[in-house]
Amino acid sequence: HPPQYTTLETLKFEFPKRIQIYNSKEIFGKKKQMSDLLKFLHVPKPWNLEVFSPGWHPSHSAAENKAKVPHTSHPSAQEYLASLALGIISTLPDIDDPKLDLDVVSSPEINISSSLPKETEPFLPGKKRVVVGVGTGRCGTSSLVTLLSKQPDTNVTHHPGGDCIEMEWNNNGFVPDEFRRRMLAGLYLYKLRHRDASLVGDAAPWLLPYLEHFIDLDPNVRVVVLQRNRTDTIRSFERWFAKEKRFPWILNSEQTKVPDAEPNRNDKCFPKYNFSFSPPTFETAASRYYDDYYRQVDDLKAKFPKVVQLYDSYEILNNIKLQMELFEFLNIINPKAQFVIDPKATDLAAAITTSRSIQRRNAEIESRARQIFELRKSRALRHQLGKHKQS
């Protein structure tokens, strides 16, 4: 902030329409002040004008306030403001909306409780489309983001920052409750919608526990799930975590049970399990995680069949026809398909199978596939020769 703005009072004098100062006890104890706050924040249809009793105080803990005001559904100031923030986030127009004025926001009245997308509901016009990509990890989500990023007017990322930051799954035994998850989901969507594109989004394994809140808070959310072959995924996890000396599916206090495993800041991005034997193996833990993950995906897909789509990792990254279906699902206009060589292909014929499945073959794609496959073969040969020389 500029150095001349040293106090809230000077800031309020400079921006009288943007800054208001309230007494903590009065704002939660008097309905008039609370109404003024909601009006200042342009909440179009307040649903909770609860006035706390005289015994309530913002400096008290939630438990203390709940004991003094047992009837209240929001026993702490933080929880009340968080619930209020969710309503504001859900009703604000997009930042690039031409009707948006920094001092006067004219938001449409939206019933938050009825904002769940219908099975046949299309994208809401004039609002940004949001795609959330999930999968266990080691399943191709980075390639999915690469594919989507090549499309016009898109801004989709692969968990920027490298870890789950505040969107944690299980932080050494601490699991966010649904209220906190809903609050974090609202803030996450708010950040995504401020990106400069019509289709925005992010992909990360640990977003799974937040998906239902994403869908509930924004009717324009679409979920793309990738599922890689179970055996390939488990083996990939085993190689990856053995290399990093990680075992993220148990608490830090139990890391000593696994040889060479060390606590890592990214362990909070995974769920935790209790194993009846010691030490648990990578294969057993990864198998349990894989099965549990897609069991939750199946439940979500059954609940939101037109919002959640599940794709086989190898198919979606190598089948142009399936990619076109994905683009249609996300309402991408004039998409650009991407041909990716099947990593399991053992010869050129298998590598270009997907292009043969298209009625009108694309010579340029097939030529490029041939070049990539030959390059891959030469690299594999050099790798084998290097290993032979070492032995």
Side-chain angles (χ1 to χ4, degrees), residues 142-315:
S142 60
S143 298
L144 172 68
V145 168
T146 300
L147 173 65
L148 294 177
S149 297
K150 292 180 180 294
Q151 308 313 315
D153 200 16
T154 61
N155 188 334
V156 183
T157 52
H158 189 244
H159 52 82
D163 60 23
C164 51
I165 313 176
E166 74 276 7
M167 305 292 285
E168 56 198 17
W169 194 322
N170 185 318
N171 190 355
N172 197 32
F174 171 74
V175 180
D177 58 25
E178 290 306 310
F179 182 89
R180 177 171 173 77
R181 280 180 175 167
R182 186 173 179 83
M183 179 182 69
L184 293 174
L187 295 174
Y188 202 79
L189 287 174
Y190 186 67
K191 294 175 183 178
L192 288 179
R193 288 171 52 198
H194 278 60
R195 293 182 181 178
D196 186 20
S198 295
L199 176 66
V200 298
D202 190 26
W206 48 83
L207 295 178
L208 178 65
Y210 298 87
L211 290 183
E212 191 161 351
H213 294 298
F214 288 146
I215 296 169
D216 189 11
L217 290 169
D218 191 340
N220 272 10
V221 165
R222 297 295 181 270
V223 179
V224 176
V225 186
L226 292 193
Q227 183 172 15
R228 187 183 180 187
N229 174 276
R230 187 176 186 273
T231 302
D232 293 348
T233 304
I234 293 169
R235 288 177 179 172
S236 182
F237 268 125
E238 188 172 3
R239 290 192 299 269
W240 180 261
F241 285 143
K243 177 183 176 182
E244 292 200 341
K245 297 183 178 181
R246 291 177 57 194
F247 201 96
W249 299 291
I250 56 178
L251 300 176
N252 292 348
S253 59
E254 300 176 328
Q255 295 278 355
T256 55
K257 298 179 181 178
V258 182
D260 298 326
E262 301 173 358
N264 186 285
R265 69 172 188 170
N266 291 335
D267 289 348
K268 63 182 179 180
C269 307
F270 293 86
K272 303 294 181 282
Y273 301 106
N274 293 320
F275 297 97
S276 58
F277 55 92
S278 180
T281 63
F282 277 105
E283 181 179 359
T284 303
S287 299
R288 185 168 178 181
Y289 168 62
Y290 183 97
D291 295 339
D292 181 45
Y293 197 100
Y294 290 108
R295 189 181 303 112
Q296 295 182 54
V297 167
D298 289 340
D299 292 341
L300 276 170
K301 195 172 183 301
K303 192 171 183 179
F304 308 104
K306 297 299 181 181
V307 177
V308 180
Q309 290 295 320
L310 175 66
Y311 296 95
D312 178 274
S313 297
Y314 297 128
E315 286 290 324

Side-chain angles (χ1 to χ4, degrees), residues 9-251:
E9 289 292 347
T10 57
L11 277 170
K12 185 177 183 302
F13 180 79
E14 187 71 18
F15 306 102
K17 294 184 179 180
R18 305 281 295 282
I19 297 177
Q20 290 293 331
I21 301 175
Y22 298 95
N23 177 280
S24 298
K25 193 168 185 178
E26 286 188 358
I27 194 64
F28 295 104
K30 298 181 180 180
K31 183 169 288 190
K32 183 181 184 304
Q33 278 80 350
M34 196 179 298
S35 298
D36 290 342
L37 168 65
L38 297 176
K39 184 178 180 182
F40 170 62
L41 295 175
H42 299 281
V43 178
K45 192 175 182 180
W47 68 95
N48 185 8
L49 286 179
E50 187 174 327
V51 177
F52 297 96
S53 73
W56 184 93
H57 197 276
S59 64
H60 295 163
S61 67
E64 289 174 327
N65 281 321
K66 191 171 184 179
K68 294 179 180 179
V69 196
H71 64 276
T72 181
S73 59
H74 294 286
S76 72
Q78 291 86 346
E79 288 180 345
Y80 181 83
L81 290 174
S83 66
L84 184 65
L86 286 177
I88 298 168
I89 290 169
S90 301
T91 57
L92 277 178
D94 288 332
I95 196 167
D96 56 355
D97 191 326
K99 297 179 181 178
L100 178 61
D101 185 285
L102 289 177
D103 285 327
V104 180
V105 180
S106 179
S107 303
E109 290 195 2
I110 296 178
N111 185 353
I112 307 300
S113 62
S114 63
S115 62
L116 284 173
K118 308 297 186 296
E119 288 190 6
T120 58
E121 184 179 20
F123 285 104
L124 295 180
K127 305 287 285 185
K128 291 187 179 180
R129 309 187 310 282
V130 180
V131 56
V132 180
V134 295
T136 55
R138 319 303 301 163
C139 62
T141 49
S142 60
S143 298
L144 172 68
V145 168
T146 300
L147 173 65
L148 294 177
S149 297
K150 292 180 180 294
Q151 308 313 315
D153 200 16
T154 61
N155 188 334
V156 183
T157 52
H158 189 244
H159 52 82
D163 60 23
C164 51
I165 313 176
E166 74 276 7
M167 305 292 285
E168 56 198 17
W169 194 322
N170 185 318
N171 190 355
N172 197 32
F174 171 74
V175 180
D177 58 25
E178 290 306 310
F179 182 89
R180 177 171 173 77
R181 280 180 175 167
R182 186 173 179 83
M183 179 182 69
L184 293 174
L187 295 174
Y188 202 79
L189 287 174
Y190 186 67
K191 294 175 183 178
L192 288 179
R193 288 171 52 198
H194 278 60
R195 293 182 181 178
D196 186 20
S198 295
L199 176 66
V200 298
D202 190 26
W206 48 83
L207 295 178
L208 178 65
Y210 298 87
L211 290 183
E212 191 161 351
H213 294 298
F214 288 146
I215 296 169
D216 189 11
L217 290 169
D218 191 340
N220 272 10
V221 165
R222 297 295 181 270
V223 179
V224 176
V225 186
L226 292 193
Q227 183 172 15
R228 187 183 180 187
N229 174 276
R230 187 176 186 273
T231 302
D232 293 348
T233 304
I234 293 169
R235 288 177 179 172
S236 182
F237 268 125
E238 188 172 3
R239 290 192 299 269
W240 180 261
F241 285 143
K243 177 183 176 182
E244 292 200 341
K245 297 183 178 181
R246 291 177 57 194
F247 201 96
W249 299 291
I250 56 178
L251 300 176

Side-chain angles (χ1 to χ4, degrees), residues 309-380:
Q309 290 295 320
L310 175 66
Y311 296 95
D312 178 274
S313 297
Y314 297 128
E315 286 290 324
I316 191 62
L317 298 176
N318 294 280
N319 190 317
I320 298 179
K321 183 178 179 181
L322 200 60
Q323 290 178 16
M324 289 304 194
E325 293 179 6
L326 170 64
F327 299 149
E328 184 178 355
F329 172 61
L330 298 177
N331 196 27
I332 296 176
I333 309 300
N334 299 323
K336 301 175 183 178
Q338 175 177 310
F339 187 85
V340 183
I341 298 297
D342 188 340
K344 297 190 297 183
T346 55
D347 54 46
L348 181 60
I352 61 176
T353 297
T354 52
S355 66
R356 297 183 187 279
S357 67
I358 303 174
Q359 293 182 354
R360 184 175 296 179
R361 295 177 60 183
N362 190 319
E364 182 181 350
I365 289 177
E366 186 170 334
S367 173
R368 180 58 179 156
R370 189 183 301 275
Q371 294 174 14
I372 295 175
F373 187 80
E374 293 299 332
L375 178 62
R376 177 176 294 173
K377 280 179 34 179
S378 65
R379 286 177 177 171

